[in-house]
Amino acid sequence: MTRTGRPRSAETDLAILEATRAALVELGWGKLTMGDVAARAGVAKTTLYRRWANKNELVLDAVAALFDELQLPDRGSLLADVEGVVMEFAELLERPETKTALMAVIAESTHDEALRVRIREAIVDRQKRLVVLGRQRAQARGELPPDVPPDGGPDSPLAEQAAARNADLIFDVIAGAVVHRILVSGERVDFAWARMFSALLVGGLPAAMAVAAR
Amino acid sequence: MTRTGRPRSAETDLAILEATRAALVELGWGKLTMGDVAARAGVAKTTLYRRWANKNELVLDAVAALFDELQLPDRGSLLADVEGVVMEFAELLERPETKTALMAVIAESTHDEALRVRIREAIVDRQKRLVVLGRQRAQARGELPPDVPPDGGPDSPLAEQAAARNADLIFDVIAGAVVHRILVSGERVDFAWARMFSALLVGGLPAAMAVAAR
DNA sequence: GCTCTTTCGCTACGGGTCGTAGCGTAACTG
DNA sequence: CAGTTACGCTACGACCCGTAGCGAAAGAGC
């Protein structure tokens, strides 16, 4: 099943994705056109359509590449890990190309099932892994209780289910808060905010208010 | 400065906004066209352009009207109030017209300052008021500490500043988590999730895990 | 009543984008 | 070298945008 004929240029792929990000920065999602991207990449418009079916998928791939950078170094404590991942995620979201593209693609995905699946694989699942990892570390450190259901051992299916629900919740809270702060409220995520948020996540509202009052 | 001449029809306004919502449900943001909306509303396309400068502002107004419904009845405790507002907000976001439109408009607002201002006034500030109200109630009940800075009385400017920062944080966490859960993760917000989230917000991660394990 | 003013429906238009088709050429495989 | 695929280029119909110009409709003010 080895492909014959002229192979696709990998450089062209990269040039197109790079051009797409540049166009996002300058024009935003709404005014970005396929012809413009092609011109920036020094490529024929037809070449774009041979690789991506439409604007949505092209932009998704262009932005998804940036999410590869996300990491979760062990910072020693749950609080520090949360602060770290918040700052990292915020840096990614504060770039103009991600800002405008991410929301637009998600909006389109409400009417495009294939796009929804691609978003999940390329972005959501990748982030969620970090949450699961950080949560495991905290449990190993004894900062969070293990997943124990009322009946049955720690490895019962009920425990796994509760753990999954809980990881999903944490993920939505962290990613959601950062996204909302940056994109909807339009405010920066600085270290002071990250500290306050992390205190809220770990210790609840009273803890957050104590940090806010300094 | 009383206007003379034929006045604009208020019914036409409502018909257009209603038609816009219907088009959003069927077509989504990307495929919605001004001509289509005009046809649905039984109105000439030029009439749309006499009232809204572009698609963004029209859709924003069509969706913003739905946010008027948001209320915060006193449910007796902080936990119950949070659960209530989460469920209410989720109901709003799970409608197909809000789902597709809200994210798209926010995406556009990253390159349109006027739109950003309108979003803030029509949607964000309206929601934030609920947060401030719920927070005050909880403080009156003694469920949350008052806003006291390390030095100075409870009415000092420092205390107000801390309170504002804190309210902004709470707002981003609540709204962000619900939006992310529904739009990005693509999962429903049922009462079980609302309970778990509220426990997290009020009591922190350990409390949430206790609820998850039931 | 009557006149003035603004709205509204309709048609038409230039400008732009979309996504595709067709062709000749370039690049790589066996 | 022959076969196969990628690529650039041009052209195209279809669609949408936002505007202009017209005549008719609907109130406001006298």
Side-chain angles (χ1 to χ4, degrees):
Chain A
M1 201 59 100
T2 62
R3 287 221 154 279
T4 170
R6 174 177 176 177
R8 285 192 179 168
S9 161
E11 295 163 13
T12 298
D13 276 315
L14 294 180
I16 293 173
L17 293 176
E18 178 58 37
T20 304
R21 286 188 287 267
L24 281 172
V25 174
E26 274 186 38
L27 307 173
W29 164 268
K31 294 181 180 172
L32 179 147
T33 70
M34 298 295 264
D36 185 273
V37 171
R40 282 172 198 263
V43 156
K45 199 173 58 164
T46 43
T47 300
L48 266 67
Y49 282 105
R50 285 193 187 95
R51 301 168 192 231
W52 291 276
N54 49 51
K55 194 166 127 178
N56 292 332
E57 307 205 344
L58 168 61
V59 170
L60 172 59
D61 279 3
V63 171
L66 299 176
F67 281 75
D68 291 337
E69 306 169 7
L70 285 178
Q71 302 252 331
L72 183 62
D74 192 329
R75 291 176 176 83
S77 76
L78 172 58
L79 211 60
D81 277 0
V82 173
E83 286 171 2
V85 79
V86 164
M87 291 300 288
E88 237 183 83
F89 188 40
E91 268 176 42
L92 200 54
L93 271 184
E94 275 170 356
R95 297 192 194 178
E97 60 264 38
T98 41
K99 229 183 212 168
T100 188
L102 197 60
M103 290 296 100
V105 173
I106 290 171
E108 288 304 305
S109 77
T110 60
H111 279 256
D112 184 339
E113 184 56 28
L115 189 63
R116 162 174 288 294
V117 173
R118 286 187 76 151
I119 291 176
R120 188 180 296 262
E121 291 170 357
I123 296 183
V124 176
D125 286 348
R126 214 167 295 185
Q127 293 175 296
K128 203 175 277 187
R129 264 182 238 132
L130 302 188
V131 171
V132 173
L133 176 60
R135 192 166 161 285
Q136 284 173 345
R137 277 188 199 154
Q139 286 177 323
R141 290 192 201 102
E143 293 170 306
L144 288 178
D147 307 310
V148 191
D151 44 9
D155 290 333
S156 76
L158 266 177
E160 279 178 32
Q161 211 175 335
R165 270 206 312 265
N166 189 252
D168 286 350
L169 171 65
I170 298 169
F171 170 59
D172 284 325
V173 170
I174 296 178
V178 174
V179 167
H180 201 274
R181 165 93 177 166
I182 294 176
L183 294 177
V184 181
S185 296
E187 305 278 347
R188 288 220 46 175
V189 169
D190 53 14
F191 190 66
W193 189 88
R195 271 195 64 210
M196 206 160 59
F197 170 77
S198 303
L200 173 61
L201 185 69
V202 175
L205 266 178
M209 292 177 73
V211 171
R214 187 94 28 137
Chain B
M1 203 56 106
T2 62
R3 286 218 156 279
T4 170
R6 175 177 177 178
R8 285 192 180 169
S9 162
E11 295 163 13
T12 298
D13 275 317
L14 295 181
I16 293 173
L17 293 175
E18 178 58 38
T20 304
R21 286 188 287 267
L24 280 172
V25 173
E26 275 185 40
L27 307 173
W29 164 268
K31 294 181 180 170
L32 180 146
T33 70
M34 297 295 265
D36 185 274
V37 171
R40 283 172 197 263
V43 155
K45 198 172 59 165
T46 43
T47 300
L48 266 66
Y49 282 105
R50 287 196 189 94
R51 301 168 191 230
W52 290 276
N54 50 51
K55 192 165 128 179
N56 292 332
E57 306 206 344
L58 169 60
V59 170
L60 173 59
D61 279 2
V63 172
L66 300 175
F67 281 75
D68 291 337
E69 307 170 7
L70 285 178
Q71 302 251 330
L72 183 64
D74 193 328
R75 291 178 175 83
S77 76
L78 173 58
L79 211 60
D81 277 359
V82 174
E83 286 171 3
V85 79
V86 163
M87 292 300 287
E88 237 183 83
F89 188 40
E91 269 176 42
L92 200 55
L93 272 184
E94 276 170 355
R95 297 192 195 179
E97 60 265 37
T98 41
K99 229 183 215 171
T100 188
L102 196 60
M103 290 296 100
V105 174
I106 290 172
E108 289 303 307
S109 79
T110 61
H111 278 256
D112 184 339
E113 185 56 28
L115 188 62
R116 160 173 292 292
V117 172
R118 286 187 75 151
I119 291 176
R120 188 180 295 263
E121 291 170 356
I123 297 182
V124 175
D125 286 347
R126 215 166 296 186
Q127 293 175 296
K128 202 174 277 187
R129 264 182 240 133
L130 301 188
V131 171
V132 173
L133 176 61
R135 192 165 160 286
Q136 284 174 345
R137 279 190 199 151
Q139 287 177 322
R141 290 193 201 101
E143 293 170 306
L144 288 178
D147 306 311
V148 191
D151 43 11
D155 292 331
S156 76
L158 268 177
E160 279 178 32
Q161 210 175 336
R165 270 205 312 265
N166 190 252
D168 286 350
L169 171 66
I170 299 169
F171 170 59
D172 284 326
V173 170
I174 295 179
V178 174
V179 167
H180 201 274
R181 165 91 176 167
I182 294 175
L183 293 177
V184 181
S185 295
E187 305 278 348
R188 287 219 47 178
V189 169
D190 53 14
F191 190 65
W193 190 88
R195 271 194 64 211
M196 204 159 64
F197 170 77
S198 304
L200 173 62
L201 185 70
V202 175
L205 267 178
M209 292 179 72
V211 171
R214 188 112 10 162

